[in-house]
Amino acid sequence: RCGDVHAYLSLLSALQQWLTFAPVADKTAAYFHISLEMVNWLSIVYLLVSIPFGLVATWVLDSVGLRCSVILSAWLNMTGSIIRIFSVLNFLSLGSQNYWYLFIGQCFCALAQPLVIFSPTKLAALWFPDHQRATANMIASMSNPLGILIANVLSPALVPEGKHIPLMLGVYAIPSVTACALATVGIHEKVPPTPPSVSATNSTSQPFLTGLKMLLRNKPYLILALCFGGGIGMFTCFSALLEQILCEKEYSNEFAGLNGALFTVCGLLGAFLLGLYVDRTRKFIESTKICFCLSALASIMFAVTSRFRHQAVTLAVTSSLFGFFGFAIYPIAMELAVECSYPVGEGTSTGLIFVASQIEGVILMILLQALTVHVSEDTSSTCALDQDGALDWTSKYVLWTLCWALDCTRYPVLVLAGLCSAVACFYVIFFHTDYKRLHAETNSGDLVNAEDAAIADVPEA
């Protein structure tokens, strides 16, 4: 299925662009003479753009089709990656305003992201039988952490010093151009010639607006959207801010990249194993609840350990556990969203969760930045201090009266771990649902078998 492979490549390329600058945030700030907060906005803009455009993307995916969605995403992503290169070209220089090339380029890439990141459940539903859907969704969805992995490893390797930023931007443009060419010429069919399952044969997906109204009245779905959306938002914060959290405690960019790589590789392994397990057992709810609790425990371990220096091994282990259990939830929760919202279209049911995750991610990113203070002089810090200095992610900073009373502003990373634990508890206690799509397919299969038996019993004339 070449078209499936091209969809995976488009998703992988889109996620690489998102975290291009996060692993080398300090060097990016020094090269463009901007603050770390401005570098963080290159990641935050993905979340902001995806909130309004996410709804458009769900409509495109369910109404126009998977093929058009992937191709449009590939073109937007390529355009954004090329615009980012303008920031380092002398003949297009805007002087001190070159940052805006980066920002506009990130906006184009951000427009591309929802179109392709909402697609794995639609791809699995259209092209794979029911006993392979969770695995197929897992493979497509894991293009997300794989793109994060490449960014965490590649960016520090390409940018040992700030002067290598132009090289990094050029290298990241190559997969975007390649994915755009492959998607444009390689994806020919909207659906397979032979439907792989009963639900694909007898599609009962509701119109977009009708489906949206059904989702907003679906209590289990809303709980899943709130909890899983919050989980995605927390993982977004962790991925985007990891380098800044660790460099203030004397850990290098390379070590932060290694932690991000371990976080992602172990997440890929966890998602693969859980996808195979769920395809065989259909235990969507039990699997996600257990993994959610274990990922909350891992987040607490990381938050505590990251407050101290010389804890490299412990940090590596906790990052691995956080990724293993946290990312394992990702593809299974997407399938669970379709199961509890059937017959709403797959693009709409998964897209709305991502819109919720972007809103929660923006709030968390802004909150955690607000809870930090600048460290202008710290000889033990490995952050580049050319601008305002490093951000202390474990400092006291009284911002809101309520948080001050609870002392929750003392350690911003602990705040993130506490939120992760609270969301996990809420999900375990309150989320319950039936597997509507599986039940519908079972009933339809029984009906088809009964009709075939009835026809077989009719005597020939």
Side-chain angles (χ1 to χ4, degrees):
R1 294 186 172 104
C2 293
D4 301 356
V5 174
H6 299 155
Y8 298 158
L9 290 174
S10 297
L11 180 55
L12 179 62
S13 175
L15 270 299
Q16 289 175 8
Q17 307 301 330
W18 169 46
L19 285 184
T20 300
F21 305 101
V24 289
D26 52 346
K27 294 180 174 63
T28 302
Y31 182 85
F32 288 102
H33 304 292
I34 56 178
S35 66
L36 281 172
E37 287 88 345
M38 294 180 73
V39 177
N40 289 339
W41 274 100
L42 296 176
S43 298
I44 296 174
V45 70
Y46 264 74
L47 310 181
L48 288 174
V49 169
S50 295
I51 293 170
F53 194 69
L55 296 176
V56 177
T58 59
W59 176 82
V60 171
L61 194 58
D62 277 337
S63 301
V64 180
L66 179 63
R67 177 177 178 271
C68 292
S69 178
V70 172
I71 293 175
L72 177 59
S73 172
W75 276 93
L76 287 170
N77 196 53
M78 182 186 70
T79 302
S81 67
I82 292 174
I83 291 175
R84 298 193 314 176
I85 296 176
F86 293 170
S87 65
V88 296
L89 298 179
N90 291 332
F91 68 93
L92 291 175
S93 176
L94 297 177
S96 61
Q97 301 300 314
N98 277 338
Y99 167 80
W100 293 106
Y101 281 130
L102 298 179
F103 191 81
I104 293 171
Q106 289 292 92
C107 287
F108 273 91
C109 295
L111 289 172
Q113 188 185 38
L115 287 165
V116 70
I117 207 171
F118 296 175
S119 65
T121 52
K122 175 68 81 173
L123 181 66
L126 288 178
W127 288 87
F128 294 88
D130 58 350
H131 65 279
Q132 294 178 357
R133 279 197 299 247
T135 302
N137 189 20
M138 176 273 299
I139 294 173
S141 296
M142 286 304 100
S143 298
N144 185 336
L146 186 57
I148 295 173
L149 168 63
I150 293 173
N152 274 306
V153 174
L154 191 58
S155 290
L158 290 173
V159 188
E161 298 179 16
K163 64 182 181 181
H164 297 105
I165 293 286
L167 172 64
M168 179 183 70
L169 293 176
V171 169
Y172 275 109
I174 294 173
S176 298
V177 174
T178 303
C180 182
L182 290 175
T184 303
V185 303
I187 303 178
H188 303 291
E189 299 174 340
K190 293 183 178 181
V191 294
T194 303
S197 65
V198 174
S199 60
T201 304
N202 303 310
S203 178
T204 57
S205 295
Q206 299 295 315
F208 175 71
L209 291 178
T210 303
L212 202 58
K213 293 176 182 177
M214 291 174 65
L215 292 179
L216 296 177
R217 293 194 295 264
N218 188 328
K219 182 179 176 181
Y221 177 83
L222 292 177
I223 293 174
L224 180 66
L226 176 65
C227 296
F228 184 57
I232 296 175
M234 293 171 200
F235 277 86
T236 297
C237 290
F238 183 85
S239 300
L241 303 175
L242 180 60
E243 182 268 340
Q244 296 172 57
I245 293 171
L246 294 181
C247 77
E248 195 274 326
K249 292 300 179 183
E250 205 175 349
Y251 299 103
S252 67
N253 282 6
E254 289 72 22
F255 177 73
L258 173 63
N259 271 262
L262 289 171
F263 173 71
T264 308
V265 169
C266 292
L268 290 168
L269 177 61
F272 175 74
L273 295 176
L274 192 64
L276 294 177
Y277 174 76
V278 170
D279 260 338
R280 288 174 172 81
T281 64
R282 299 291 194 269
K283 293 184 178 180
F284 294 92
I285 298 176
E286 297 87 344
S287 300
T288 53
K289 286 186 176 182
I290 291 172
C291 286
F292 222 140
C293 292
L294 293 174
S295 64
L297 291 175
S299 73
I300 295 172
M301 292 171 60
F302 178 86
V304 174
T305 307
S306 65
R307 293 175 50 209
F308 302 99
R309 296 179 173 89
H310 313 301
Q311 299 294 325
V313 174
T314 308
L315 280 171
V317 171
T318 54
S319 295
S320 301
L321 292 174
F322 194 25
F324 184 87
F325 295 114
F327 271 123
I329 305 170
Y330 185 92
I332 307 306
M334 290 293 96
E335 285 294 301
L336 191 54
V338 177
E339 293 293 340
C340 74
S341 62
Y342 186 84
V344 177
E346 295 86 359
T348 304
S349 59
T350 56
L352 196 60
I353 288 182
F354 275 102
V355 171
S357 75
Q358 308 300 57
I359 296 173
E360 294 175 69
V362 169
I363 294 172
L364 284 172
M365 286 279 283
I366 294 174
L367 172 65
L368 294 181
Q369 287 189 111
L371 297 181
T372 62
V373 294
H374 286 284
V375 181
S376 56
E377 295 182 3
D378 187 347
T379 57
S380 65
S381 172
T382 59
C383 305
L385 303 177
D386 298 49
Q387 296 299 311
D388 298 328
L391 294 177
D392 183 358
W393 295 85
T394 60
S395 299
K396 292 183 180 178
Y397 191 81
V398 179
L399 186 62
W400 289 282
T401 303
L402 177 60
C403 282
W404 175 83
L406 296 174
D407 203 24
C408 70
T409 60
R410 185 168 184 172
Y411 302 116
V413 186
L414 287 174
V415 173
L416 184 63
L419 289 172
C420 186
S421 302
V423 169
C425 292
F426 183 82
Y427 178 74
V428 169
I429 295 171
F430 293 104
F431 182 77
H432 306 282
T433 187
D434 294 325
Y435 300 150
K436 297 179 181 179
R437 181 172 62 176
L438 287 175
H439 291 166
E441 288 179 336
T442 301
N443 294 336
S444 297
D446 292 342
L447 180 60
V448 170
N449 291 335
E451 291 176 348
D452 290 343
I455 292 172
D457 291 339
V458 175
E460 295 183 1

